[in-house]
Amino acid sequence: TKTNSLKGGSTETDHSKKSTDPAVQQMLEKAAREGIQTVWDRYQAMRPLCRFGETGLCCRHCLQGPCRINPLGREPRVGICGATADVIVIRGLDRAIAAGAAGHSGHAKHLAHTLKKAAEGRAPDYLVKDKEKLHSVARRLGIVTDGRPENEIALDVARAALADFHEKDTPVTWVTSVLPPDRLEVFSRHGLVPAGIDHEIAEVMHRTSMGCDADASNLLLGGLRCALGDLAGCYMATDLSDILFGTPSPVVTECNLGVLKAGAVNVAVHGHNPVLSDIIVLVAKEMEAEARAAGAQGINVVGICCTGNEVLMRHGISPCTHSVSQEMAIITGALDALVVDYQCIQPAVATVAECLGTTVITTMDMAKITGTTHVDFSEETAVENARQILRLAIESFTRRRGKPVEIPAMKKKVFAGFSVEAILSALGRLDAGDPLKPLIDHLTAGNIRGVCLFAGCNNVKVPQDYNFITTARKLLEQDVLVLASGCSAGALMRHGFMDPASVEELCGGGLKAVLTAIGEANGLGGPLPPVLHVGSCVDNSRAAALAVALAGRLGVDLDRLPVVASAAEAMHEKAVSIGAWAVALGLPTHVGVMLPVSGGPLVHRILTEEVKGLTGGYFILEPDPESATEKLLEAINERRAGLGLHY
Ligand code: XCC
Ligand code: SF4
C-alpha cells in the first residue's frame, strides 16, 4: 500500500542534506521510488516552523491563552496574565526538564520494581546477574551486606530506589551518595538538592502553572533541582540494569543497516528498557530451532536507539540504526518485527510498517500505538511473553519469505562496552594499585587535553550525524578523549569512530599513544577505539561517575575539570534534562540545536553566562559545529589553565 505517500511526493531529492550516513541515503532513494513518506518529508511539510514555539514565546499553561509574545519586540510583550517573555520561556524549559526527568526516572522505577519482584521471587525470569555490583551499590547506599542473603540485599536496594521517588526526611540518595561533598555543598547553598524525584517533577509542574513562580532566576533553580532528579533517575537506571543484567565489559560487533540478514528472522528491539530487550535476546537464542523450522536462517536480533545500546553493551547485539533514521530499518523490507517499549519511537513506524509488512509490537501498557500489535509484557511472565513476541516475528517472516528486500551492504566495526568498571580495569593494567593515575598523568602531560562526553539524539533539523562527526573529528585531532552515549554513540559508530583501526586517521599523536598503550597493556594487539561507548542515555551517569572519580583523585570540585559535554543534535526533552544536570555538575555543556529560549534575552544570558556563578557550569548554545568545537576546546583550555596545566 502507498496510503501514506506525501501529497505531490517528496521534493527534496538531495538525500545528503538529510543524512550523512550512506546506508540511510540508499534507503531514502528506495523510499522516494516507492512513495513512502519519511520523517524528512514530514519535516518539509511542517516548515516554516512556528516562530513563537521556536523561540519559546508561546504559553498554554492556562485556558485564557494560548498567549504568544511577539519575537520582534513589538506588542504583545506580555501574556494575558502579564507573564513576561522570560518567564514564559523559562517555564517552558523547566517543563521540558521535568518531562525528561519523568522519562529517565520512569525507566529507573520500572527497573526498581523488576528488582523487587525478582528479589521476592515474583519474577522468576530475572535474577541478580552481577553480585559484585549489587554489593557495591548497597554499600554506597549504606545498606548492610555482610552475611546477608543476596535477595535480602537486593530487596533493600529496590526499596531504597523506590523511596527516592517521594519526598522524605532525607534527600535523594542517588544524588547524595554519588556526588562529592564539595558539589553537594554547592547544591545546598543554592537549594538544589532534590528531595524526591517525583516530588521535584511535581514541583516544577506546580511552580510553572498559571500564577506561581514569575521570576526567571528562581525558575531556573527549580529546573536545575529537577534536573538533578533526572541525574538520580539515570544513575539509578544504570545501577539497577547492571545488577540485573550485568555490568558491561568490552565487546566487538558490527553496526548499521548491513547487519540485517535477508534469510533470517530479523527482529529489532527499539526503545529503552533492558527489562524487555535483554529477555528478547536470551529467548531468541532458545527459539533458533523454531525459526529454522519455518525456513529461516535463525533469528537475528538487532538494536535501535538506546535499548539497542543496552544489548550491544551487554551481549554484543548489532545496532542497526538510530534515532531519526529508525524508519529506514523497516524500509529495507527485511525487518520482520519491530519490538518497542517506550520513548523515542516515532508513531510513524506503524504506517511505514504497513507498507513493508513489518509487524510492530508494542509491549508496555503506557505506550501503545494505534494500528500495531500489542503484547502485554510483564516481568512475572517475561520469558513467555518474549516467546509470544518472537513467534509473531517468525510468522511475519513466513509472510515475507521470497519477497525482494534491499539491505544496504554497509556496516562498520564497533568496539563498545566501556562501563566505568571496564575503563578502570583496562587502566589497571597500566597501574594496578591506582588505575586513575595513568589517566591523570596523561592529562597532566597533555597527551590527553581533556575529556568530552558526546550525548543525545539525532534531530531532523541537522543532516543526520553531521554535527557529531564534525565536532568529534576536530576534538580527537586535538587529543581530547571522547566518550559517547545514546544516539550520539550510534552516530559515531556508524561512521567508524568505534573501530580501533581508525585511531591512526582520527586521533592526535598524544591521544593515539595513550589509546595504544592501554590497548597493548590489555593484550588487544592494537589501540582502544577513538571513541569510548559508555552506553545508553541513562548511562550518561557512567560519564558523571568517571568525572567524580577524576575530581576525587585530583582533589578538586567537578567544575574545575577539563571535562565538557556536547549534545550536538539534541532532540528529546530527556536531552534537555541531561544538559541541565551537566550544567548543574559544573560542566560547560554544548547544545547544537537551538533550545526554545531565544525569545527570552534574560533567560538566554542566565543559561549561557550567569549560571556559571552558581554551579561553575554553563550552556554553550551553538548550532554551528565548527564554532562549537572551538568553544569546547576553549573551555577545556581554560580549565587546564585553572589547574596550572598547559597544552
Ligand atoms: Fe532517544 Fe535514548 Fe535521544 Fe536516542 S539519544 S533519540 S533520547 S534514544 Ni537518548
Ligand atoms: Fe497566557 Fe498567562 Fe495563561 Fe500563559 S498562564 S496562557 S501567559 S494568561
Side-chain angles (χ1 to χ4, degrees), residues 396-411:
S396 187
F397 169 84
T398 55
R399 288 192 297 272
R400 168 174 71 85
R401 236 180 120 189
K403 291 195 187 138
V405 299
E406 183 179 339
I407 300 172
M410 288 168 221
K411 42 187 177 179

Side-chain angles (χ1 to χ4, degrees), residues 59-62 64-67 79-81 83 88 91 210:
C59 179
R60 289 190 300 131
H61 295 196
C62 89
Q64 301 176 102
C67 297
I80 293 168
C81 66
I88 289 176
R91 286 196 310 207
M210 190 272 161

Side-chain angles (χ1 to χ4, degrees), residues 271-272 305-306 323 343-344 456-458 486-488 537 571-572 574-575:
H272 281 80
C305 283
C306 276
S323 193
Q343 303 170 19
C344 305
C457 336
N458 287 130
C487 293
S488 79
C537 293
M571 171 275 290
H572 207 280
K574 292 177 288 173

Side-chain angles (χ1 to χ4, degrees), residues 9-302:
S10 174
T11 47
E12 180 57 73
T13 50
D14 184 357
H15 302 309
S16 67
K17 287 188 186 150
K18 301 172 188 167
S19 177
T20 62
D21 181 338
V24 174
Q25 291 168 8
Q26 184 180 332
M27 284 303 97
L28 286 172
E29 275 297 327
K30 181 171 191 277
R33 263 192 334 263
E34 298 179 7
I36 300 164
Q37 186 194 67
T38 71
V39 65
W40 285 279
D41 302 314
R42 295 187 295 272
Y43 176 54
Q44 279 309 325
M46 192 58 65
R47 292 177 71 184
L49 300 179
C50 168
R51 274 282 280 159
F52 301 104
E54 221 178 10
T55 50
L57 288 173
C58 157
C59 179
R60 289 190 300 131
H61 295 196
C62 89
L63 307 182
Q64 301 176 102
C67 297
R68 75 256 178 277
I69 308 292
N70 188 318
L72 304 172
R74 296 195 287 265
E75 291 297 328
R77 290 194 170 87
V78 292
I80 293 168
C81 66
T84 61
D86 282 304
V87 164
I88 289 176
V89 164
I90 187 79
R91 286 196 310 207
L93 191 75
D94 275 9
R95 286 200 171 187
I97 292 172
H104 287 137
S105 69
H107 165 168
K109 195 192 278 172
H110 189 169
L111 285 157
H113 282 298
T114 308
L115 183 64
K116 184 161 179 282
K117 287 178 193 173
E120 292 168 343
R122 288 189 290 135
D125 302 332
Y126 297 88
L127 48 100
V128 170
K129 192 153 174 203
D130 190 337
K131 300 182 175 69
E132 221 174 289
K133 184 94 184 201
L134 172 69
H135 280 256
S136 78
V137 171
R139 277 195 302 274
R140 202 188 68 214
L141 297 169
I143 292 166
V144 180
T145 55
D146 280 352
R148 296 181 68 202
E150 199 175 277
N151 57 341
E152 261 181 39
I153 303 172
L155 192 57
D156 280 355
V157 169
R159 285 192 179 126
L162 292 169
D164 256 0
F165 284 86
H166 56 82
E167 194 190 10
K168 56 185 182 306
D169 293 341
T170 50
V172 173
T173 38
W174 255 271
V175 167
T176 53
S177 75
V178 304
L179 294 178
D182 289 358
R183 194 51 14 193
L184 292 172
E185 157 55 30
V186 172
F187 292 166
S188 346
R189 202 162 48 220
H190 301 297
L192 296 181
V193 184
I197 302 170
D198 284 349
H199 168 77
E200 299 305 340
I201 296 166
E203 172 102 346
V204 163
M205 295 312 285
H206 178 187
R207 75 194 294 160
T208 56
S209 68
M210 190 272 161
C212 288
D213 203 349
D215 179 83
S217 308
N218 203 43
L219 276 156
L220 175 76
L221 293 177
L224 290 180
R225 197 168 66 219
C226 187
L228 289 167
D230 182 80
L231 168 66
C234 289
Y235 215 116
M236 186 190 289
T238 300
D239 282 341
L240 303 186
S241 299
D242 284 355
I243 290 171
L244 283 164
F245 308 111
T247 302
S249 56
V251 286
V252 180
T253 184
E254 290 174 314
C255 66
N256 214 343
L257 292 169
V259 304
L260 292 168
K261 297 176 186 158
V265 178
N266 290 303
V267 179
V269 286
H270 179 11
H272 281 80
N273 208 326
V275 163
L276 170 71
S277 58
D278 209 271
I279 297 284
I280 296 277
V281 168
L282 300 180
V283 174
K285 284 186 194 135
E286 164 205 309
M287 286 177 65
E288 279 286 302
E290 212 166 305
R292 284 180 196 279
Q297 292 150 9
I299 301 179
N300 180 35
V301 180
V302 300

Side-chain angles (χ1 to χ4, degrees), residues 193-542:
V193 184
I197 302 170
D198 284 349
H199 168 77
E200 299 305 340
I201 296 166
E203 172 102 346
V204 163
M205 295 312 285
H206 178 187
R207 75 194 294 160
T208 56
S209 68
M210 190 272 161
C212 288
D213 203 349
D215 179 83
S217 308
N218 203 43
L219 276 156
L220 175 76
L221 293 177
L224 290 180
R225 197 168 66 219
C226 187
L228 289 167
D230 182 80
L231 168 66
C234 289
Y235 215 116
M236 186 190 289
T238 300
D239 282 341
L240 303 186
S241 299
D242 284 355
I243 290 171
L244 283 164
F245 308 111
T247 302
S249 56
V251 286
V252 180
T253 184
E254 290 174 314
C255 66
N256 214 343
L257 292 169
V259 304
L260 292 168
K261 297 176 186 158
V265 178
N266 290 303
V267 179
V269 286
H270 179 11
H272 281 80
N273 208 326
V275 163
L276 170 71
S277 58
D278 209 271
I279 297 284
I280 296 277
V281 168
L282 300 180
V283 174
K285 284 186 194 135
E286 164 205 309
M287 286 177 65
E288 279 286 302
E290 212 166 305
R292 284 180 196 279
Q297 292 150 9
I299 301 179
N300 180 35
V301 180
V302 300
I304 299 180
C305 283
C306 276
T307 211
N309 284 320
E310 299 279 354
V311 289
L312 161 67
M313 295 284 283
R314 296 197 179 87
H315 300 282
I317 293 294
S318 295
C320 110
T321 197
H322 303 90
S323 193
V324 75
S325 55
Q326 55 190 265
E327 292 160 295
M328 305 303 124
I330 303 174
I331 292 172
T332 60
L335 191 63
D336 298 300
L338 181 69
V339 184
V340 307
D341 53 22
Y342 39 53
Q343 303 170 19
C344 305
I345 298 132
Q346 298 177 358
V349 293
T351 327
V352 183
E354 201 184 302
C355 299
L356 278 302
T358 303
T359 305
V360 177
I361 303 165
T362 58
T363 57
M364 299 291 150
D365 195 41
M366 52 72 82
K368 299 185 178 178
I369 305 171
T370 305
T372 64
T373 307
H374 186 75
V375 171
D376 198 12
F377 182 88
S378 70
E379 294 100 275
E380 286 83 348
T381 51
V383 164
E384 193 188 313
N385 296 148
R387 284 198 193 112
Q388 244 176 305
I389 289 167
L390 290 167
R391 251 169 225 139
L392 288 170
I394 295 171
E395 274 168 35
S396 187
F397 169 84
T398 55
R399 288 192 297 272
R400 168 174 71 85
R401 236 180 120 189
K403 291 195 187 138
V405 299
E406 183 179 339
I407 300 172
M410 288 168 221
K411 42 187 177 179
K412 293 279 185 195
K413 182 171 175 179
V414 41
F415 186 130
F418 293 96
S419 58
V420 175
E421 291 85 343
I423 293 173
L424 292 181
S425 132
L427 288 167
R429 294 295 170 99
L430 297 173
D431 188 335
D434 185 0
L436 283 170
K437 186 168 180 293
L439 201 54
I440 304 279
D441 288 348
H442 286 300
L443 262 174
T444 311
N447 294 327
I448 297 176
R449 188 197 286 243
V451 182
C452 181
L453 167 67
F454 276 60
C457 336
N458 287 130
N459 184 315
V460 72
K461 292 175 178 171
V462 180
Q464 186 182 18
D465 308 337
Y466 178 76
N467 286 1
F468 288 127
I469 54 184
T470 309
T471 311
R473 260 183 196 284
K474 189 64 192 287
L475 291 178
L476 289 169
E477 195 186 284
Q478 296 293 318
D479 296 320
V480 174
L481 179 66
V482 175
L483 310 178
S485 67
C487 293
S488 79
L492 293 169
M493 72 171 76
R494 280 181 286 100
H495 291 273
F497 284 66
M498 293 185 186
D499 180 349
S502 53
V503 163
E504 190 59 42
E505 179 211 331
L506 293 170
C507 300
L511 181 60
K512 188 175 127 188
V514 177
L515 295 173
T516 306
I518 302 173
E520 275 167 5
N522 284 274
L524 300 177
L528 292 183
V531 174
L532 305 184
H533 192 335
V534 299
S536 66
C537 293
V538 294
D539 294 334
N540 282 310
S541 68
R542 300 191 200 276

